Amino acid sequence: MSAGEGRGFEPAVHVEPLTLGGEPYEVRPAAVPVKLDVSRMVGNGYALRLRFDATLAGACMRCLKDAAPQIAVDAREVDRPGGGEELSSPYLQEETLDLASWARDAFALALPAQVLCREDCAGLCPVCAVDLNEAGPEHAHERAPDPRWAKLSELKLE
Ligand SMILES: [Zn+2]
Ligand SMILES: [Zn+2]
């Protein structure tokens, strides 16, 4: 491959399961088809781009039911020998690419802060833990008595 020339690869990668908030999450499919573009830079080194879509499968962080959000990954790496740490890719060692590690790290970086079964998941009631998606918005509990009124009632007793 000569300078400036690019090449596309479409290998399949197994992305290792992740643990988020103490819960296990699987990445599907088991072999994720990825798009890998490799281009040789003028001078020396490589520019790499990795793109793929995969599903994160595990528990919804609000209601604990199954969640399987689709995650889109688009990551780039540059490796230029002698270019300093910033231009050295940790996934490329002597022309060998550690695609599995790169795919796992890029996937982890692309994850949302919260894994949800759906964007507007209502979660569980903090009082009785009923699933609010099913119980509906009118689900409520009687409030604990207001402490000010409690004091008044104490006064009445005296
Ligand atoms: Zn949910
Ligand atoms: Zn409740």
Side-chain angles (χ1 to χ4, degrees):
M1 192 163 37
S2 57
E5 208 181 310
R7 214 182 271 184
F9 301 92
E10 298 193 351
V13 182
H14 173 70
V15 182
E16 293 290 323
L18 300 96
T19 303
L20 303 168
E23 293 286 325
Y25 288 87
E26 225 178 85
V27 182
R28 291 182 195 152
V32 182
V34 307
K35 197 169 185 312
L36 177 67
D37 295 305
V38 180
S39 50
R40 180 133 217 164
M41 293 190 294
V42 178
N44 204 359
Y46 292 100
L48 305 139
R49 186 178 187 188
L50 174 66
R51 280 170 286 180
F52 64 91
D53 291 324
T55 299
L56 180 72
C60 170
M61 288 181 178
R62 280 190 199 149
C63 74
L64 309 177
K65 288 219 174 111
D66 287 343
Q70 174 107 340
I71 311 296
V73 176
D74 186 348
R76 290 166 192 272
E77 282 287 318
V78 167
D79 192 83
R80 189 187 279 268
E85 206 161 282
E86 232 163 77
L87 291 176
S88 161
S89 169
Y91 310 111
L92 198 63
Q93 299 288 335
E94 288 164 14
E95 314 245 319
T96 303
L97 179 66
D98 184 354
L99 188 56
S101 296
W102 186 17
R104 187 196 56 217
D105 291 351
F107 185 79
L109 284 174
L111 293 179
Q114 277 206 307
V115 180
L116 302 176
C117 60
R118 57 171 211 240
E119 227 172 276
D120 61 346
C121 172
L124 302 179
C125 171
V127 178
C128 70
V130 76
D131 186 342
L132 294 176
N133 297 305
E134 281 161 18
E138 59 282 354
H139 176 83
H141 293 266
E142 270 185 47
R143 287 177 179 222
D146 190 309
R148 282 171 300 177
W149 289 107
K151 272 188 190 155
L152 282 180
S153 61
E154 272 169 33
L155 285 175
K156 263 190 208 165
L157 288 172
E158 278 171 16

